[in-house]
């Protein structure tokens, strides 16, 4: 199982781990077992199977503590369980490995909770070049939802995801922003694609 885990062949790991007698493992081996099982499920987006494994490894401050809370926070965010997700990411803030990524996840949580002013407060301080486009798209949408269309427009225009990834709500946000700023031609173009 460890061989396939290290080779990133996560589809093979769970069945091999299940062959091990969990009762015969040391505490460290048991934690490794559950983390490998959880991560293998996580990588295959099997959130419901990954969550209980990470919950086991998140209990004590071992080397699995921060990664387990990180993945639990991510899973909860995907499931729109914002309070639960925030709880996990708050714990991960102290990790040197994950600390730079946490504020963006917290901003996404606040966005999901419709706390747009909090999103703007957090994203205003983010300097990540890696996620700059995503940060600015989030900022643009947050300005839109706080009815600050002048601030929203340049952020939305410069950071729009590829057109094939825009849904009807994104098109509406773009169209209404153009309309509110008096750019009726662009507004018409966006509204007619909905």
């Amino acid at each position: 199982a460890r061989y396939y885990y290290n080779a990133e062949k996560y589809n093979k790991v769970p069945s091999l781990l299940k062959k091990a007698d969990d009762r015969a493992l040391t505490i460290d081996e048991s934690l490794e077992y559950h983390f490998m099982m959880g991560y293998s499920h996580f990588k295959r987006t099997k959130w419901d199977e990954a969550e209980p494994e990470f919950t086991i490894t998140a209990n004590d401050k071992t080397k699995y503590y921060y990664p387990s809370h990180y993945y639990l926070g991510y899973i909860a965010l995907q499931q729109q369980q914002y309070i639960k997700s925030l709880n996990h990411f708050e714990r991960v803030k102290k990790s040197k490995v994950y600390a730079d990524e946490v504020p963006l996840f917290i901003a996404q949580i606040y966005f999901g909770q419709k706390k747009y002013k909090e999103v703007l407060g957090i994203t205003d301080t983010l300097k990540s070049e890696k996620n700059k486009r995503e940060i600015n798209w989030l900022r643009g949408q947050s300005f839109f939802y706080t009815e600050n269309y002048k601030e929203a427009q340049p952020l939305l225009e410069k950071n729009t995801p590829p057109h094939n990834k825009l849904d009807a709500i994104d098109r509406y946000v773009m169209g209404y922003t153009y309309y509110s700023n008096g750019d009726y031609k662009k507004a018409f173009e966006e509204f007619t694609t909905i």
Side-chain angles (χ1 to χ4, degrees):
R2 192 178 289 134
Y3 169 79
Y4 287 111
Y5 179 83
N6 291 334
E8 298 181 7
K9 299 203 184 286
Y10 302 112
N11 59 325
K12 296 182 182 239
V13 174
S15 61
L16 292 169
L17 283 174
K18 287 178 185 174
K19 292 179 182 179
D21 182 3
D22 191 22
R23 297 171 302 197
L25 301 176
T26 66
I27 292 172
D28 289 342
E29 290 170 336
S30 180
L31 288 171
E32 181 184 23
Y33 168 96
H34 289 290
F35 187 82
M36 286 172 42
M37 184 73 84
Y39 191 74
S40 296
H41 291 311
F42 177 86
K43 289 300 282 186
R44 295 177 303 131
T45 64
K46 295 185 178 227
W47 311 132
D48 291 338
E49 295 175 45
E51 186 176 8
E53 302 296 338
F54 287 134
T55 300
I56 292 168
T57 58
N59 286 328
D60 298 313
K61 286 214 173 181
T62 66
K63 67 182 180 179
Y64 302 109
Y65 179 82
Y66 288 123
S68 296
H69 280 288
Y70 177 86
Y71 297 122
L72 286 167
Y74 185 88
I75 290 168
L77 180 58
Q78 298 308 306
Q79 297 172 335
Q80 298 180 344
Q81 297 175 353
Y82 300 120
I83 294 169
K84 188 175 181 180
S85 181
L86 186 59
N87 181 37
H88 288 295
F89 283 124
E90 286 293 337
R91 294 177 188 204
V92 177
K93 276 200 255 189
K94 299 171 189 141
S95 165
K96 292 176 185 172
V97 175
Y98 301 106
D100 290 343
E101 297 176 44
V102 170
L104 178 55
F105 286 119
I106 291 175
Q108 291 171 339
I109 291 166
Y110 287 151
F111 188 84
Q113 294 175 319
K114 299 178 175 30
K115 295 180 178 179
Y116 305 115
K117 290 182 181 176
E118 286 87 342
V119 172
L120 292 169
I122 288 175
T123 56
D124 191 42
T125 62
L126 296 179
K127 305 292 183 216
S128 172
E129 286 299 316
K130 180 177 135 186
N131 298 313
K132 187 175 184 175
R133 187 180 193 120
E134 185 177 359
I135 292 165
N136 285 332
W137 177 251
L138 220 81
R139 287 181 61 71
Q141 288 183 314
S142 296
F143 278 123
F144 169 84
Y145 286 112
T146 57
E147 300 179 2
N148 188 340
Y149 306 113
K150 294 253 185 263
E151 292 287 334
Q153 186 170 337
L155 290 166
L156 293 172
E157 285 178 330
K158 291 178 187 170
N159 300 287
T160 305
H163 282 291
N164 61 344
K165 293 191 177 187
L166 289 176
D167 61 19
I169 294 170
D170 294 330
R171 296 277 186 196
Y172 177 81
V173 166
M174 294 293 295
Y176 195 85
T177 300
Y178 288 133
Y179 175 80
S180 297
N181 290 331
D183 194 339
Y184 304 118
K185 183 180 179 198
K186 285 184 179 178
F188 178 77
E189 290 170 10
E190 291 296 334
F191 287 140
T192 56
T193 61
I194 296 176

